[in-house]
Amino acid sequence: MMAQPTREELEAWDRQHVWHAFTQMAHYEPLVIERAQGARLTDIHGRDFLDGVSSLWCNVHGHRHPHLDAALRAQLDKVAHTTSLGASNSTTITLAKQLVDRSPAGLEHVFFSSDGASSIEAALKIAFQYCQQSGEARERRTRFAALGCAYHGDTLGSVSVGGVDRFHTMFGPLLFDVVRVPAPEMHRLPPGITEALALEYYVDQANQVLAAHHEELAALIVEPIVQGAAGLLVHPPGYLQALRELTRKYDILLIADEVAVGFGRTGTLFACEQEQVTPDLLCMGKGLTGGYLPMAATLATDEVYEAFLGDHSEQKQFFHGHTYGGNPLAAAVALASLELFDQEQTLEHLPEKAARLAEHLARLAEHPHVGDVRQRGLIAGIELVEDRETQQPFPWQQRRGAQVCQHAMDQGVWLRPLGDVIVVMPPLSIRLDELDQIMQAVTHGICQATEAGKAVCE
Ligand SMILES: *Cc1c(COP(=O)(O)O)cnc(C)c1O
């Protein structure tokens, strides 16, 4: 056995050796979690924090849930890993059946991978290869359409369809060219466009782009209902369904990226359900294993799948795979997580929590430096601005969002912002009193990091 490192060693090694994602390591202050229980994280100094962002949007039923822990241990007594290349295992098969049964009707085939980004890569390549194998008319459909400020992951294909300038512009020379559909930004509507006109306006924009490019497009990819990393942009109701109609009209595949919104986040198991939409391809990740293990999946319709069937000599199989795709340990936890949705009536308890969150947000919306609050289910974004009237942002160098989250930590709540948008995305299992504590810490943080707005802060 290796000697147990001291707390000082852990923090020093963390700084020296662990290269953290999306983190300026020159200024990194170690936060080293030792254990967790429910929505509570405990660090190596014994400090407790509520997990206000579900360990980056993936925890569902809380940490160390006995049912999930037991499922993982039971699978360990069978087998930890088998390959999905030409072979299978009983746990992963059972999960595939459950995912098909619980996802929008018509999605029948499950391609497993390891992370959200890899589920996107798989979807893009499936769409591309589908077009190559679906007759001459479709062979010219080699490009993709995606929304403005979309986020689909950090591998090169998913970055290509992404549109968050801050993350993506620098890699431009490595990326393939994508057709952009303007994203609905309800809090910064163009002049003359009211909220009532927004749906029609943005659908018309999408129609114009697709009309101009449809002959070269294999697919349109969209984060349904809420665009996550863009700053939690909530689309106007009806937008997803309209995109479904447009993609049918122009014979373009629709890829729904449910990596962030899947598994109950927006109130239904999948966000597509809210507009009765079945996409041609649906990507899931983050919440699939309840936040326990890396696993992702790309679901496809019969029509897409059948283009890959043929004799060996035709070479039509999907030329793509990940070593750990469909890993049985991850599948066992994912299955147990789906069972918990039934046993604990996770979705049935959400409206009460979403309503409590909405109450807190309504109060915060009065703060002079809150430009917008937006919410769908247990996703909320609070956007800080320098000037409410003009929606003028704070100079980004001031890092107000990060300051808010720093102050929230003093109140025992851990959050991670998207620039100046404060993200609140607790585990779905969060209790109402915990939700109150999170929102009190957010309010405290905003009041500390901006000039106090009296009515809200006192
Ligand atoms: C997080 C995210 C991804 C990427 O998932 P990873 O597991 O981080 O690769 C893709 N799409 C959306 C919408 C996401 O929020």
Side-chain angles (χ1 to χ4, degrees):
M1 282 288 267
M2 277 182 277
Q4 280 296 320
T6 63
R7 289 184 286 194
E8 291 69 30
E9 279 174 329
L10 284 172
E11 289 180 344
W13 296 348
D14 188 23
R15 277 205 182 87
Q16 282 164 20
H17 303 305
V18 183
W19 194 342
H20 292 268
F22 284 102
T23 300
Q24 176 44 260
M25 294 307 296
H27 296 290
Y28 172 66
E29 282 302 325
L31 168 64
V32 187
I33 306 300
E34 181 72 22
R35 58 172 58 88
Q37 183 70 55
R40 200 164 291 277
L41 309 168
T42 306
D43 78 356
I44 51 173
H45 302 286
R47 295 182 300 178
D48 280 344
F49 301 100
L50 281 174
D51 188 352
V53 289
S54 299
S55 293
L56 251 304
W57 312 3
C58 63
N59 193 282
V60 178
H61 307 288
H63 298 274
R64 296 231 44 218
H65 194 293
H67 188 64
L68 302 183
D69 290 7
L72 192 47
R73 292 200 177 97
Q75 181 62 41
L76 272 174
D77 288 335
K78 297 181 190 163
V79 61
H81 183 65
T82 64
T83 183
S84 70
L85 279 65
S88 204
N89 77 84
S90 40
T91 310
T92 308
I93 296 168
T94 314
L95 174 62
K97 169 71 175 140
Q98 280 292 319
L99 291 176
V100 165
D101 287 350
R102 291 174 189 247
S103 60
L107 295 163
E108 297 288 333
H109 309 278
V110 185
F111 186 90
F112 285 108
S113 54
S114 3
D115 295 281
S118 56
S119 77
I120 301 297
E121 298 290 339
L124 297 173
K125 287 176 70 181
I126 289 171
F128 184 92
Q129 195 177 332
Y130 163 81
C131 288
Q132 293 304 302
Q133 295 177 179
S134 304
E136 237 173 84
R138 284 224 179 91
E139 271 173 29
R140 277 166 295 143
R141 293 175 170 267
T142 56
R143 300 184 66 198
F144 293 92
L147 264 60
C149 53
Y151 178 81
H152 298 292
D154 294 320
T155 53
L156 287 175
S158 58
V159 169
S160 293
V161 286
V164 183
D165 291 343
R166 207 157 39 96
F167 306 161
H168 296 155
T169 304
M170 122 126 62
F171 298 105
L174 302 178
L175 308 179
F176 56 79
D177 195 28
V178 161
V179 174
R180 283 291 156 201
V181 172
E185 291 196 62
M186 300 299 284
H187 62 298
R188 288 203 172 83
L189 291 168
I193 305 300
T194 60
E195 227 170 87
L197 293 174
L199 175 65
E200 196 185 323
Y201 172 79
Y202 283 110
V203 172
D204 182 58
Q205 295 268 307
N207 186 32
Q208 285 181 33
V209 172
L210 298 184
H213 293 281
H214 66 98
E215 285 174 353
E216 48 179 355
L217 290 177
L220 166 69
I221 182 166
V222 60
E223 296 161 77
I225 310 289
V226 181
Q227 280 182 251
L232 306 176
L233 301 183
V234 180
H235 292 163
Y239 185 66
L240 180 65
Q241 198 172 63
L243 291 183
R244 175 70 283 190
E245 282 162 20
L246 287 175
T247 48
R248 286 219 199 288
K249 172 171 152 195
Y250 294 116
D251 194 22
I252 299 165
L253 296 181
L254 178 66
I255 303 172
D257 175 357
E258 292 235 14
V259 173
V261 292
F263 300 98
R265 251 313 133 195
T266 67
T268 45
L269 194 61
F270 295 102
C272 283
E273 289 169 44
Q274 297 185 23
E275 304 207 353
Q276 296 84 45
V277 160
T278 297
D280 301 287
L281 292 158
L282 187 152
C283 302
M284 52 181 76
K286 290 196 171 96
L288 171 55
T289 61
Y292 266 53
L293 285 170
M295 174 176 248
T298 307
L299 273 60
T301 58
D302 280 337
E303 190 190 335
V304 168
Y305 179 75
E306 278 160 15
F308 292 76
L309 303 181
D311 190 70
H312 285 299
S313 62
E314 293 178 83
Q315 296 272 339
K316 280 182 157 183
Q317 64 266 43
F318 184 34
F319 289 100
H320 186 96
H322 297 281
T323 303
Y324 284 102
N327 172 267
L329 288 174
V333 193
L335 264 176
S337 170
L338 290 174
E339 283 166 3
L340 282 181
F341 272 96
D342 302 336
Q343 285 173 21
E344 301 194 338
Q345 298 198 294
T346 307
L347 296 179
E348 289 76 359
H349 290 304
L350 282 186
E352 191 188 10
K353 299 176 188 187
R356 180 68 72 94
L357 181 55
E359 281 171 34
H360 286 289
L361 291 172
R363 251 173 76 80
L364 263 178
E366 302 299 316
H367 189 282
H369 288 292
V370 170
D372 188 41
V373 296
R374 23 188 196 269
Q375 182 198 1
R376 192 50 91 83
L378 272 195
I379 296 183
I382 301 143
E383 183 162 338
L384 306 176
V385 292
E386 181 145 53
D387 185 331
R388 259 165 83 97
E389 296 311 312
T390 60
Q391 290 281 318
Q392 169 72 30
F394 282 111
W396 62 267
Q397 297 87 340
Q398 295 180 2
R399 305 183 71 250
R400 298 277 182 152
Q403 286 179 38
V404 170
C405 297
Q406 198 58 47
H407 289 295
M409 278 186 84
D410 301 336
Q411 306 274 306
V413 171
W414 181 68
L415 298 162
R416 189 172 162 88
L418 290 162
D420 282 348
V421 177
I422 310 304
V423 177
V424 179
M425 233 195 260
L428 303 188
S429 59
I430 194 86
R431 296 192 316 256
L432 290 177
D433 63 301
E434 292 171 329
L435 194 53
D436 291 342
Q437 190 189 333
I438 290 173
M439 293 311 292
Q440 277 149 17
V442 169
T443 307
H444 167 83
I446 291 175
C447 293
Q448 292 290 310
T450 64
E451 301 85 81
K454 276 204 168 61
V456 177
C457 292
E458 280 167 7

